[in-house]
Amino acid sequence: MTVEAFAVSTGIVALGEIGDKTQLLALILAARYRAPRPIIAGIFVATLANHAAAAALGAWLTRVIDPIWMRWILGASFIAVALWMLVPDRADDDLHAEHTSRAGVFWITTVAFFLAEMGDKTQIATVMLAARFNDLIAVTAGTTLGMMIANVPAVLLGDRVVKLVPVQWVHRIAAVVFAVIGVTVLFQ
């Protein structure tokens, strides 16, 4: 496992997740169920499964696409995600009350987070990071840690987190990081 792939993956996803719909989902779940342990465990399991699959896709892409094309695809993708970071997310529709009686908070969280991450910025970033670093384990571990860094405080502190962090500035910083990586990849 390379330290660079792990550190970059952790930082990018932690920054990119602030204000993201899945972080808003964590706030909603925390406010609704007031059960932090199963919510945190559900976030971890869903993220690990989702990001492992995304990283595997990224690693596979590096084997089937010519390296020159991959460089241009990755560079353009990082720049596109940088622009996407500037678009604010809204929380998905609240969970239906009938699901509460059939499943525990852990399973509600796991399923909701797994589905919310499908096609999300952080999942796309995981695919791109795995293609960039070609290190499935480091990228999966890093992106999962980044999700936990951003979401655990949201679960534990609830609404207070959103009031402390200016979300627009975090999105702007994350956009700059993605753009710098994109330009670096393009001109390597």
Side-chain angles (χ1 to χ4, degrees), residues 10 15 64 73 135 139 150 165 173 182:
T10 300
L15 276 175
V64 298
I73 291 168
D135 191 337
V139 169
V165 179
I173 292 167

Side-chain angles (χ1 to χ4, degrees), residues 40-65:
I40 291 168
I43 291 168
F44 177 76
V45 169
T47 301
L48 187 60
N50 193 296
H51 287 205
L57 174 63
W60 175 76
L61 287 173
T62 62
R63 290 191 296 272
V64 298
I65 298 176

